[in-house]
Amino acid sequence: MSITIKANIPEGPLAEKWNNYKAKAKLVSPNNRKKLDVIMVGTGLAGASAAASLGEMGYNVKSFCFQDSARRAHSVAAQGGVNAAKNYKNDGDSVYRMFHDTLKGGDFRSREANTYRLAECSASLIDQAVAQGVPFGREYGGYLRNRSFGGVQVSRTFYARGQTGQQLLLGSYQALLRQQNAGKVKLYTRHEMLDLVMVDGKARGIIARNLDTGEIERHSAHAVVLATGGFGKIYYLSTLAMGCNASAIWRAHKKGAYMANPSWTQIHPTSLPQSGEHQSKLTLMSESLRNDGRIWVPNDPKETRLPGDIPEEDRDYYLERKYPAFGNLAPRDIASRAAKEQIDLGKGVGALKNAVYLDFSRAIKEYGQEVIAERYGNLFTMYKKITGIDAYTEPMKISPAAHFSMGGLWVDYDLQTSLPGLFAIGEANFSDHGANRLGANSLLQACVDGYFILPYTLQNYLADEIRVPKIDVNHKAFEETEQKVRQQLEGFLKSKGNKTAEEFHKELGKELYDKCGLLRTKAGLQKAIENIQNLRKEFTENLLVPGDIEEVNSELEKAGRVSDYMELAELMCIDALRREESCGAHFRAEHQTEEGEAKRDDENYCYSAAWEWTGNPSSPVLNKEPLVFETVKPTVRSYK
Amino acid sequence: MALTGLFLSFFLIIHLAGNLQLLLPADEAQLQYNSYSRLLGGNIFVKLVAYVLYASIILHTIDAIYLGIKSKRANGASYSRDKRGRASKWYARNMMALGIIIFVFLVIHFKDFWYSYKFGELPLDINGNKDLYTLVVVAFQELWYVILYVIAIVALGYHLLHGVFSAHRTLGLYHPLYSKIIKVLGIIFAVVMTFGYILIPVYIYLTHEL
Amino acid sequence: MKIHLKIWRQKDRQTKGAFKDYTLEDVSKDMSFLEMLDTLNIKLIKSGERPVEFDHDCREGICGQCGVMINGIAHGPLKHTTTCQLHMRSFEDGDTIYVEPFKAAAFPIVRDLKVNRSSLDHIIASGGYVSVDTGQAPEANSIPVTHEQAEAAFDAAACIGCGACVASCKNSSAALFTSAKISQLAQLPQGDKETSKRVVKMVYQMEEEGFGHCSFTEACQVECPEDISVLNIARMNYEYNKARLLKK
């Protein structure tokens, strides 16, 4: 039964909502906090910052990650920067402007109040990070430096060379370890959450597998927070880390949490192209390169000259031509689609003709190689390591790659999922970016959720839990959930087919990239659904996993993740199929303007799709959260 | 380690300066060297410094043994294939081996000269000083002894080449420019000490025919 | 191209390990080293053997999770490059490649090429942070940090925590890792207030974890993926000596 859901947005004008919320939110007194346990899954920017902040407040936090150290979470790989409405550049920035840019960037498919809150809290994040010792870029006088980023006309991006994610993550990782040292956080590294435990309708714990010993463990708490990041890895070839997965949120979804807009995946325009079949991932080159790099393809599809030998008149700087106002800094979805368009016209470059040029010759001429090296030195070095090419003398070759999940667990204004006591923060939730995320907003969202929002909203929830004693892991709900987890793992091992999880993953990824990637059609999606169902069937019968449960077993870990991807992939296609409009990253060929731009249908699709699990992956229920725009009137998103 | 090492390095300068007197014409050298040795033996300040010197040698050795054990314990299992050497200088990795050579040499050196001078019966020169000079000159007539000496000094040279600069790092000299200066000075120091100390036995061997 | 592999196989910490030989026929020059291992693993799984366990995650040289000894060198022949960023074009057809885990008493082996590097986390936990709670931060521009200071701090902060410095050190010292954090925070006004406390705690923890001492062979910097400077170690020593001498 489909229902219309509400997001519990506080009363008042947009700019007052968060203050109103904080003024009225329930509190837990310091001496009661130590009686309350919180499980935090994931130690990326969202998870680490939230766990550290909650620890500082006095809660007992159990923090889990599958990596061997909390510092390895994939936030570490974010390169470009983090946005904040500080207006240090005096160029007309403000909270409202940033909110509007983000909303527009998301093609008016995000929740107004959440997006506003994101912009509102952005300034505090920079303060916090600086206080932690994050070495942001500085002007010579000692003040913070900014640069501009895709989709905006002001300079509001703070950055630490090309390793902003790493530096921000180390800041929150250190804050996390500080709490570990203080005894307020207990860290469980190399632990993977395999299921959520619901006791009397509330999220009360998780079942996790110790990846070093294979032991299956029960952990209980008064509330569970998922900060497990995105699932772009479902496309197999993506910019994500090998271990990134949807398992935690998907298993929560199967326990009843709604999954929102799962098909909205950002395809990043500046990744390195695929070079062969063996490839396991695509490396991202920061979007910040587009500040100084110019994107072009040869006019002639049959062009054979080296890029340096192609004269200006035979080049097509297609972004500058099509979007003069934003040029090379057009938002990601638009830049990716434009690249795909050129590649599909046969104008792609490189051996597989699957890339476009990103050219720095003009910037080098203008500022000198030294300045460019200081701005992007590590990216140029990385490019050389991977491709063997020196980008100071020859343009880079880039191509679009799956990157960020705008979709995720549905959450209300409190970041609480549809299951009481289960919260989702950072990329794991869906709320702030709409149908397309602006560059340098993901680090921001992860941090803001973790440092400044969850500590208030979770406390609001926990205020009613102070009388609940420690949750007993011998409760039958734990027993049953653990049993199910065991059965699933045994099932993988028993299958004894002849295809590895990785091979299934590659096939699934290709299917999804072709039919539910940059360009989607009704027929394609229907076909994809059929193919995925078949592949899923084959997966249950023909999977090959070596080894045992009670030992180190990477293949068993992969099998679990791919098994979840098999179900999620179908939901993504269903979601994309059901949304008969184009918006942001979701581009349906049937719904475009004459110039080939996305055509939204605000009348019928101005909602977030919150899918409900029914037990059958092929027949989920669509619940709708209508998007109400009180302050901004959705317009046609134009970057011309 | 650093402090004792630097003190020992400093001592090397004084010791070399004194011993360079051996290079004077034979008659002059004999009298001057013997009276210098006596002067050193009798001065209370020099005596104090000598005790610091003995202590430094012992502490430096004990510290080396302690660090050797610590390193072994920290390494755990060893690599079956180990090419880590490409990233550093051989002498920096083998300070312990170089140190052992130097230590063995010191034992011989102390026994032959220091012990004989302090506790042995030595003939007196015309000034009535113990004739250490002749003892030294006679010793360096033996080719094998000179070779042993040279090997030990070369080991010492490499030990210094790494040791002097490393000691400054241990003490905390982190400024890039000064660190570079110390590195260069350390090299000059090691080279000068090596050649200075080698010069004496070789010169004596070549110039004194018995 | 054809590649012969000698890979260290060890079931767990207690069991004795040994090299095992494998041969891969169709290795492409464009493959990364880890993709080559992926290929081997698929082959092993299909032939009923246990795949080689190795650590990896981001595969773009920043997470620090990968890291093995390749032909006796941490992260392999290229300097300042993680294992995941090493490509097979660095090898020749017919080469024999030895692959071993990082070995140090403070890095116990989990299985095959996987080791436990939690000891590095413990060092950070002992004091590698600025003691600031969420909410306490002042306005960001109220703490000016010169461009040079910020850049120097960044140079130290770039450490990815892979442990290659320890693996490359003849004494298995974690001095480079520890000093990078100390030095980063000591160079920033926000972090400098706690320097003396921090350095004493972190150096103590480094000893507790069973790492060796630093004898300045400088091998760590040469093999460090981020080229972290050994001068940081000198700085750590300076701060440590100062803290000890001025102790009240």
Side-chain angles (χ1 to χ4, degrees), chain A residues 53 56 86 88 127 130 138 173-174 190 242-243 280-281 385-386 551 554, chain C residues 35 53 55 57-60 80 89 111 121 134 139-140 147 155 181 190:
Chain A
S53 303
E56 287 158 10
K86 283 280 197 186
Y88 283 160
D127 300 342
V130 164
R138 298 275 176 163
Y173 154 79
Q174 286 160 204
R190 283 215 209 258
M242 301 306 284
S280 57
K281 81 157 276 161
K385 275 182 195 167
I386 296 171
E551 63 170 349
S554 300
Chain C
E35 284 163 357
E53 291 287 347
D55 259 324
D57 199 26
C58 80
R59 296 207 176 183
E60 50 186 272
H80 311 313
R89 67 179 80 95
R111 173 173 283 189
D121 284 337
T134 306
E139 152 59 39
H147 180 75
D155 286 339
K181 189 48 69 189
Q190 330 49 324

mmCIF file of all heavy atoms in Angstrom, chain A residues 53 56 86 88 127 130 138 173-174 190 242-243 280-281 385-386 551 554, chain C residues 35 53 55 57-60 80 89 111 121 134 139-140 147 155 181 190:
data_model
loop_
_atom_site.group_PDB
_atom_site.id
_atom_site.type_symbol
_atom_site.label_atom_id
_atom_site.label_comp_id
_atom_site.label_asym_id
_atom_site.label_seq_id
_atom_site.Cartn_x
_atom_site.Cartn_y
_atom_site.Cartn_z
ATOM 1 N N SER A 53 31.756 13.574 18.001
ATOM 2 C CA SER A 53 30.923 14.598 18.647
ATOM 3 C C SER A 53 30.050 13.986 19.740
ATOM 4 O O SER A 53 29.904 14.568 20.819
ATOM 5 C CB SER A 53 30.031 15.286 17.609
ATOM 6 O OG SER A 53 30.829 15.842 16.592
ATOM 7 N N GLU A 56 32.188 13.199 22.697
ATOM 8 C CA GLU A 56 32.501 14.418 23.454
ATOM 9 C C GLU A 56 31.329 14.819 24.345
ATOM 10 O O GLU A 56 31.507 15.311 25.454
ATOM 11 C CB GLU A 56 32.813 15.571 22.485
ATOM 12 C CG GLU A 56 34.163 15.432 21.798
ATOM 13 C CD GLU A 56 34.246 16.221 20.492
ATOM 14 O OE1 GLU A 56 33.333 17.034 20.208
ATOM 15 O OE2 GLU A 56 35.220 16.003 19.745
ATOM 16 N N LYS A 86 31.118 31.449 3.483
ATOM 17 C CA LYS A 86 31.823 32.395 4.345
ATOM 18 C C LYS A 86 31.877 33.783 3.713
ATOM 19 O O LYS A 86 32.115 34.767 4.393
ATOM 20 C CB LYS A 86 33.254 31.899 4.579
ATOM 21 C CG LYS A 86 33.383 30.762 5.600
ATOM 22 C CD LYS A 86 33.342 31.313 7.013
ATOM 23 C CE LYS A 86 33.887 30.300 8.024
ATOM 24 N NZ LYS A 86 33.701 30.789 9.407
ATOM 25 N N TYR A 88 34.254 35.042 2.122
ATOM 26 C CA TYR A 88 35.570 35.652 2.337
ATOM 27 C C TYR A 88 36.042 36.398 1.095
ATOM 28 O O TYR A 88 36.946 37.213 1.157
ATOM 29 C CB TYR A 88 36.611 34.570 2.659
ATOM 30 C CG TYR A 88 36.546 34.027 4.068
ATOM 31 C CD1 TYR A 88 37.117 32.788 4.373
ATOM 32 C CD2 TYR A 88 35.952 34.745 5.102
ATOM 33 C CE1 TYR A 88 37.088 32.284 5.655
ATOM 34 C CE2 TYR A 88 35.911 34.241 6.398
ATOM 35 C CZ TYR A 88 36.481 33.010 6.663
ATOM 36 O OH TYR A 88 36.466 32.506 7.939
ATOM 37 N N ASP A 127 35.251 26.475 10.457
ATOM 38 C CA ASP A 127 35.821 26.830 11.768
ATOM 39 C C ASP A 127 36.320 25.576 12.484
ATOM 40 O O ASP A 127 37.434 25.536 13.001
ATOM 41 C CB ASP A 127 34.772 27.529 12.652
ATOM 42 C CG ASP A 127 34.259 28.814 12.015
ATOM 43 O OD1 ASP A 127 34.937 29.329 11.103
ATOM 44 O OD2 ASP A 127 33.179 29.285 12.431
ATOM 45 N N VAL A 130 39.422 23.972 10.787
ATOM 46 C CA VAL A 130 40.623 24.776 11.002
ATOM 47 C C VAL A 130 41.131 24.575 12.434
ATOM 48 O O VAL A 130 42.326 24.382 12.672
ATOM 49 C CB VAL A 130 40.350 26.267 10.711
ATOM 50 C CG1 VAL A 130 41.449 27.142 11.289
ATOM 51 C CG2 VAL A 130 40.233 26.491 9.215
ATOM 52 N N ARG A 138 46.126 28.644 2.042
ATOM 53 C CA ARG A 138 46.110 29.985 2.638
ATOM 54 C C ARG A 138 46.667 31.009 1.677
ATOM 55 O O ARG A 138 47.531 30.717 0.868
ATOM 56 C CB ARG A 138 46.996 29.989 3.900
ATOM 57 C CG ARG A 138 46.541 29.050 4.990
ATOM 58 C CD ARG A 138 45.511 29.688 5.849
ATOM 59 N NE ARG A 138 44.996 28.759 6.848
ATOM 60 C CZ ARG A 138 44.320 29.157 7.926
ATOM 61 N NH1 ARG A 138 44.098 30.431 8.139
ATOM 62 N NH2 ARG A 138 43.855 28.283 8.772
ATOM 63 N N TYR A 173 38.998 11.805 12.043
ATOM 64 C CA TYR A 173 39.574 10.531 12.534
ATOM 65 C C TYR A 173 40.348 10.776 13.833
ATOM 66 O O TYR A 173 40.242 10.011 14.793
ATOM 67 C CB TYR A 173 40.469 9.960 11.438
ATOM 68 C CG TYR A 173 41.602 9.053 11.857
ATOM 69 C CD1 TYR A 173 41.372 7.717 12.178
ATOM 70 C CD2 TYR A 173 42.914 9.516 11.898
ATOM 71 C CE1 TYR A 173 42.424 6.878 12.525
ATOM 72 C CE2 TYR A 173 43.965 8.690 12.239
ATOM 73 C CZ TYR A 173 43.724 7.377 12.562
ATOM 74 O OH TYR A 173 44.766 6.550 12.900
ATOM 75 N N GLN A 174 41.096 11.871 13.844
ATOM 76 C CA GLN A 174 41.858 12.177 15.054
ATOM 77 C C GLN A 174 40.914 12.523 16.210
ATOM 78 O O GLN A 174 41.150 12.110 17.344
ATOM 79 C CB GLN A 174 42.836 13.327 14.776
ATOM 80 C CG GLN A 174 44.010 12.859 13.935
ATOM 81 C CD GLN A 174 44.766 13.969 13.228
ATOM 82 O OE1 GLN A 174 45.408 13.722 12.228
ATOM 83 N NE2 GLN A 174 44.676 15.196 13.728
ATOM 84 N N ARG A 190 37.796 -3.579 10.908
ATOM 85 C CA ARG A 190 37.639 -4.881 10.245
ATOM 86 C C ARG A 190 36.403 -5.628 10.747
ATOM 87 O O ARG A 190 36.439 -6.813 11.055
ATOM 88 C CB ARG A 190 38.881 -5.736 10.457
ATOM 89 C CG ARG A 190 40.061 -5.337 9.571
ATOM 90 C CD ARG A 190 40.825 -6.567 9.169
ATOM 91 N NE ARG A 190 42.234 -6.353 8.927
ATOM 92 C CZ ARG A 190 42.766 -6.255 7.702
ATOM 93 N NH1 ARG A 190 42.007 -6.312 6.634
ATOM 94 N NH2 ARG A 190 44.046 -6.104 7.568
ATOM 95 N N MET A 242 37.279 -0.173 -3.597
ATOM 96 C CA MET A 242 36.823 -1.529 -3.869
ATOM 97 C C MET A 242 35.811 -2.013 -2.834
ATOM 98 O O MET A 242 34.907 -2.773 -3.134
ATOM 99 C CB MET A 242 38.012 -2.489 -3.901
ATOM 100 C CG MET A 242 39.049 -2.152 -4.945
ATOM 101 S SD MET A 242 38.377 -1.985 -6.593
ATOM 102 C CE MET A 242 38.148 -3.711 -7.012
ATOM 103 N N GLY A 243 35.989 -1.585 -1.603
ATOM 104 C CA GLY A 243 35.140 -2.100 -0.531
ATOM 105 C C GLY A 243 33.829 -1.357 -0.347
ATOM 106 O O GLY A 243 32.963 -1.790 0.413
ATOM 107 N N SER A 280 39.811 -2.539 -12.549
ATOM 108 C CA SER A 280 38.987 -2.747 -11.360
ATOM 109 C C SER A 280 38.348 -1.467 -10.875
ATOM 110 O O SER A 280 37.380 -1.491 -10.139
ATOM 111 C CB SER A 280 39.835 -3.326 -10.237
ATOM 112 O OG SER A 280 40.922 -2.467 -9.953
ATOM 113 N N LYS A 281 38.908 -0.322 -11.271
ATOM 114 C CA LYS A 281 38.280 0.932 -10.856
ATOM 115 C C LYS A 281 38.720 2.048 -11.789
ATOM 116 O O LYS A 281 39.673 1.900 -12.542
ATOM 117 C CB LYS A 281 38.633 1.263 -9.414
ATOM 118 C CG LYS A 281 39.985 1.900 -9.241
ATOM 119 C CD LYS A 281 40.042 2.680 -7.944
ATOM 120 C CE LYS A 281 39.482 4.068 -8.080
ATOM 121 N NZ LYS A 281 39.115 4.701 -6.863
ATOM 122 N N LYS A 385 51.515 8.637 -13.078
ATOM 123 C CA LYS A 385 51.719 7.286 -12.547
ATOM 124 C C LYS A 385 50.811 6.285 -13.233
ATOM 125 O O LYS A 385 51.204 5.164 -13.542
ATOM 126 C CB LYS A 385 51.429 7.254 -11.038
ATOM 127 C CG LYS A 385 52.614 7.651 -10.192
ATOM 128 C CD LYS A 385 52.261 7.554 -8.720
ATOM 129 C CE LYS A 385 53.295 8.295 -7.885
ATOM 130 N NZ LYS A 385 52.826 8.492 -6.510
ATOM 131 N N ILE A 386 49.562 6.685 -13.450
ATOM 132 C CA ILE A 386 48.594 5.731 -13.988
ATOM 133 C C ILE A 386 48.724 5.570 -15.495
ATOM 134 O O ILE A 386 48.657 4.462 -16.021
ATOM 135 C CB ILE A 386 47.161 6.159 -13.592
ATOM 136 C CG1 ILE A 386 47.032 6.092 -12.069
ATOM 137 C CG2 ILE A 386 46.116 5.275 -14.255
ATOM 138 C CD1 ILE A 386 45.775 6.680 -11.540
ATOM 139 N N GLU A 551 36.902 -17.595 9.200
ATOM 140 C CA GLU A 551 38.292 -17.272 8.868
ATOM 141 C C GLU A 551 38.311 -16.006 8.006
ATOM 142 O O GLU A 551 37.263 -15.527 7.590
ATOM 143 C CB GLU A 551 38.946 -18.433 8.114
ATOM 144 C CG GLU A 551 38.281 -18.725 6.777
ATOM 145 C CD GLU A 551 39.075 -19.710 5.917
ATOM 146 O OE1 GLU A 551 40.229 -20.002 6.247
ATOM 147 O OE2 GLU A 551 38.528 -20.158 4.904
ATOM 148 N N SER A 554 37.977 -12.853 2.021
ATOM 149 C CA SER A 554 37.576 -11.690 1.221
ATOM 150 C C SER A 554 36.485 -12.040 0.219
ATOM 151 O O SER A 554 35.631 -11.210 -0.090
ATOM 152 C CB SER A 554 38.762 -11.157 0.422
ATOM 153 O OG SER A 554 39.779 -10.763 1.272
ATOM 154 N N GLU C 35 45.564 -5.392 -9.801
ATOM 155 C CA GLU C 35 44.699 -6.035 -10.806
ATOM 156 C C GLU C 35 45.338 -7.332 -11.288
ATOM 157 O O GLU C 35 44.641 -8.301 -11.598
ATOM 158 C CB GLU C 35 44.430 -5.078 -11.966
ATOM 159 C CG GLU C 35 43.408 -4.006 -11.597
ATOM 160 C CD GLU C 35 43.381 -2.799 -12.517
ATOM 161 O OE1 GLU C 35 44.204 -2.720 -13.448
ATOM 162 O OE2 GLU C 35 42.529 -1.914 -12.287
ATOM 163 N N GLU C 53 45.149 -13.499 0.090
ATOM 164 C CA GLU C 53 44.543 -12.374 0.816
ATOM 165 C C GLU C 53 45.517 -11.198 0.802
ATOM 166 O O GLU C 53 46.680 -11.344 1.169
ATOM 167 C CB GLU C 53 44.237 -12.769 2.255
ATOM 168 C CG GLU C 53 43.107 -13.780 2.411
ATOM 169 C CD GLU C 53 41.726 -13.192 2.146
ATOM 170 O OE1 GLU C 53 41.607 -11.951 2.084
ATOM 171 O OE2 GLU C 53 40.775 -13.986 1.972
ATOM 172 N N ASP C 55 45.609 -6.645 1.297
ATOM 173 C CA ASP C 55 44.844 -5.457 1.681
ATOM 174 C C ASP C 55 44.822 -4.430 0.564
ATOM 175 O O ASP C 55 45.828 -4.211 -0.096
ATOM 176 C CB ASP C 55 45.474 -4.821 2.926
ATOM 177 C CG ASP C 55 44.709 -5.178 4.174
ATOM 178 O OD1 ASP C 55 43.468 -5.276 4.071
ATOM 179 O OD2 ASP C 55 45.331 -5.358 5.226
ATOM 180 N N ASP C 57 42.038 -0.918 -0.891
ATOM 181 C CA ASP C 57 40.682 -0.372 -0.905
ATOM 182 C C ASP C 57 40.489 0.661 -1.991
ATOM 183 O O ASP C 57 39.907 0.376 -3.018
ATOM 184 C CB ASP C 57 40.270 0.172 0.464
ATOM 185 C CG ASP C 57 38.758 0.300 0.602
ATOM 186 O OD1 ASP C 57 38.051 -0.441 -0.094
ATOM 187 O OD2 ASP C 57 38.280 1.136 1.383
ATOM 188 N N CYS C 58 41.056 1.861 -1.801
ATOM 189 C CA CYS C 58 40.697 2.924 -2.746
ATOM 190 C C CYS C 58 41.315 2.725 -4.132
ATOM 191 O O CYS C 58 40.772 3.147 -5.129
ATOM 192 C CB CYS C 58 41.089 4.286 -2.193
ATOM 193 S SG CYS C 58 42.829 4.703 -2.400
ATOM 194 N N ARG C 59 42.457 2.098 -4.174
ATOM 195 C CA ARG C 59 43.187 1.866 -5.421
ATOM 196 C C ARG C 59 43.498 3.159 -6.166
ATOM 197 O O ARG C 59 43.559 3.179 -7.395
ATOM 198 C CB ARG C 59 42.432 0.889 -6.330
ATOM 199 C CG ARG C 59 42.323 -0.476 -5.692
ATOM 200 C CD ARG C 59 42.199 -1.574 -6.710
ATOM 201 N NE ARG C 59 42.195 -2.881 -6.040
ATOM 202 C CZ ARG C 59 42.162 -4.028 -6.686
ATOM 203 N NH1 ARG C 59 42.136 -4.054 -7.992
ATOM 204 N NH2 ARG C 59 42.170 -5.161 -6.016
ATOM 205 N N GLU C 60 43.615 4.232 -5.435
ATOM 206 C CA GLU C 60 44.113 5.448 -6.080
ATOM 207 C C GLU C 60 45.198 6.115 -5.238
ATOM 208 O O GLU C 60 45.474 7.295 -5.379
ATOM 209 C CB GLU C 60 42.994 6.408 -6.460
ATOM 210 C CG GLU C 60 41.993 6.732 -5.371
ATOM 211 C CD GLU C 60 40.837 7.586 -5.902
ATOM 212 O OE1 GLU C 60 40.993 8.810 -5.892
ATOM 213 O OE2 GLU C 60 39.811 7.032 -6.330
ATOM 214 N N HIS C 80 58.053 6.599 -4.172
ATOM 215 C CA HIS C 80 56.905 7.464 -3.880
ATOM 216 C C HIS C 80 55.631 6.997 -4.583
ATOM 217 O O HIS C 80 54.888 7.799 -5.144
ATOM 218 C CB HIS C 80 57.219 8.914 -4.247
ATOM 219 C CG HIS C 80 58.532 9.373 -3.710
ATOM 220 N ND1 HIS C 80 58.916 9.150 -2.410
ATOM 221 C CD2 HIS C 80 59.564 10.017 -4.285
ATOM 222 C CE1 HIS C 80 60.114 9.648 -2.206
ATOM 223 N NE2 HIS C 80 60.538 10.169 -3.333
ATOM 224 N N ARG C 89 53.642 -2.154 -16.258
ATOM 225 C CA ARG C 89 54.632 -1.661 -17.208
ATOM 226 C C ARG C 89 56.000 -1.455 -16.543
ATOM 227 O O ARG C 89 56.993 -1.271 -17.221
ATOM 228 C CB ARG C 89 54.147 -0.385 -17.903
ATOM 229 C CG ARG C 89 54.006 0.839 -17.044
ATOM 230 C CD ARG C 89 53.545 2.033 -17.887
ATOM 231 N NE ARG C 89 52.106 2.001 -18.123
ATOM 232 C CZ ARG C 89 51.212 2.653 -17.372
ATOM 233 N NH1 ARG C 89 51.622 3.397 -16.363
ATOM 234 N NH2 ARG C 89 49.923 2.584 -17.625
ATOM 235 N N ARG C 111 46.851 -12.775 7.483
ATOM 236 C CA ARG C 111 46.926 -13.908 6.571
ATOM 237 C C ARG C 111 47.626 -13.468 5.287
ATOM 238 O O ARG C 111 47.404 -12.345 4.825
ATOM 239 C CB ARG C 111 45.527 -14.432 6.231
ATOM 240 C CG ARG C 111 45.559 -15.505 5.166
ATOM 241 C CD ARG C 111 44.222 -16.156 4.945
ATOM 242 N NE ARG C 111 43.920 -17.109 6.010
ATOM 243 C CZ ARG C 111 42.888 -17.949 5.960
ATOM 244 N NH1 ARG C 111 42.072 -17.933 4.929
ATOM 245 N NH2 ARG C 111 42.666 -18.788 6.938
ATOM 246 N N ASP C 121 47.379 3.314 14.565
ATOM 247 C CA ASP C 121 46.214 4.008 15.140
ATOM 248 C C ASP C 121 46.452 4.326 16.619
ATOM 249 O O ASP C 121 46.074 5.391 17.100
ATOM 250 C CB ASP C 121 44.955 3.143 15.025
ATOM 251 C CG ASP C 121 44.400 3.120 13.612
ATOM 252 O OD1 ASP C 121 44.686 4.068 12.852
ATOM 253 O OD2 ASP C 121 43.682 2.165 13.268
ATOM 254 N N THR C 134 33.704 19.511 19.253
ATOM 255 C CA THR C 134 32.801 20.109 18.280
ATOM 256 C C THR C 134 32.081 21.270 18.947
ATOM 257 O O THR C 134 31.548 21.117 20.047
ATOM 258 C CB THR C 134 31.768 19.073 17.799
ATOM 259 O OG1 THR C 134 32.478 17.944 17.325
ATOM 260 C CG2 THR C 134 30.890 19.641 16.703
ATOM 261 N N GLU C 139 36.042 31.528 14.951
ATOM 262 C CA GLU C 139 35.938 31.874 13.528
ATOM 263 C C GLU C 139 37.271 31.541 12.827
ATOM 264 O O GLU C 139 38.352 31.863 13.327
ATOM 265 C CB GLU C 139 35.576 33.356 13.424
ATOM 266 C CG GLU C 139 36.019 34.117 12.201
ATOM 267 C CD GLU C 139 35.498 33.584 10.883
ATOM 268 O OE1 GLU C 139 34.333 33.166 10.799
ATOM 269 O OE2 GLU C 139 36.301 33.572 9.914
ATOM 270 N N ALA C 140 37.146 30.862 11.679
ATOM 271 C CA ALA C 140 38.326 30.289 11.037
ATOM 272 C C ALA C 140 39.425 31.303 10.752
ATOM 273 O O ALA C 140 40.599 31.043 10.974
ATOM 274 C CB ALA C 140 37.911 29.588 9.749
ATOM 275 N N HIS C 147 50.895 31.239 4.433
ATOM 276 C CA HIS C 147 50.897 30.302 3.317
ATOM 277 C C HIS C 147 51.999 29.265 3.511
ATOM 278 O O HIS C 147 51.772 28.065 3.367
ATOM 279 C CB HIS C 147 51.132 31.084 2.018
ATOM 280 C CG HIS C 147 51.166 30.238 0.796
ATOM 281 N ND1 HIS C 147 50.030 29.697 0.237
ATOM 282 C CD2 HIS C 147 52.208 29.810 0.034
ATOM 283 C CE1 HIS C 147 50.367 28.978 -0.821
ATOM 284 N NE2 HIS C 147 51.674 29.032 -0.967
ATOM 285 N N ASP C 155 52.681 19.317 4.038
ATOM 286 C CA ASP C 155 53.691 18.333 3.624
ATOM 287 C C ASP C 155 53.769 17.183 4.621
ATOM 288 O O ASP C 155 53.909 16.029 4.245
ATOM 289 C CB ASP C 155 55.066 19.001 3.500
ATOM 290 C CG ASP C 155 55.160 19.864 2.247
ATOM 291 O OD1 ASP C 155 54.365 19.640 1.319
ATOM 292 O OD2 ASP C 155 56.016 20.772 2.215
ATOM 293 N N LYS C 181 52.926 13.518 12.148
ATOM 294 C CA LYS C 181 51.764 14.098 12.839
ATOM 295 C C LYS C 181 52.204 15.155 13.851
ATOM 296 O O LYS C 181 51.618 16.244 13.934
ATOM 297 C CB LYS C 181 50.964 12.974 13.506
ATOM 298 C CG LYS C 181 49.621 13.362 14.077
ATOM 299 C CD LYS C 181 48.758 14.182 13.141
ATOM 300 C CE LYS C 181 48.257 13.396 11.934
ATOM 301 N NZ LYS C 181 47.591 14.301 10.937
ATOM 302 N N GLN C 190 47.096 26.393 15.973
ATOM 303 C CA GLN C 190 46.035 25.669 16.668
ATOM 304 C C GLN C 190 46.576 24.463 17.430
ATOM 305 O O GLN C 190 46.051 24.056 18.449
ATOM 306 C CB GLN C 190 44.968 25.115 15.785
ATOM 307 C CG GLN C 190 44.438 25.560 14.542
ATOM 308 C CD GLN C 190 45.251 25.930 13.399
ATOM 309 O OE1 GLN C 190 46.333 26.500 13.490
ATOM 310 N NE2 GLN C 190 44.719 25.652 12.249
#
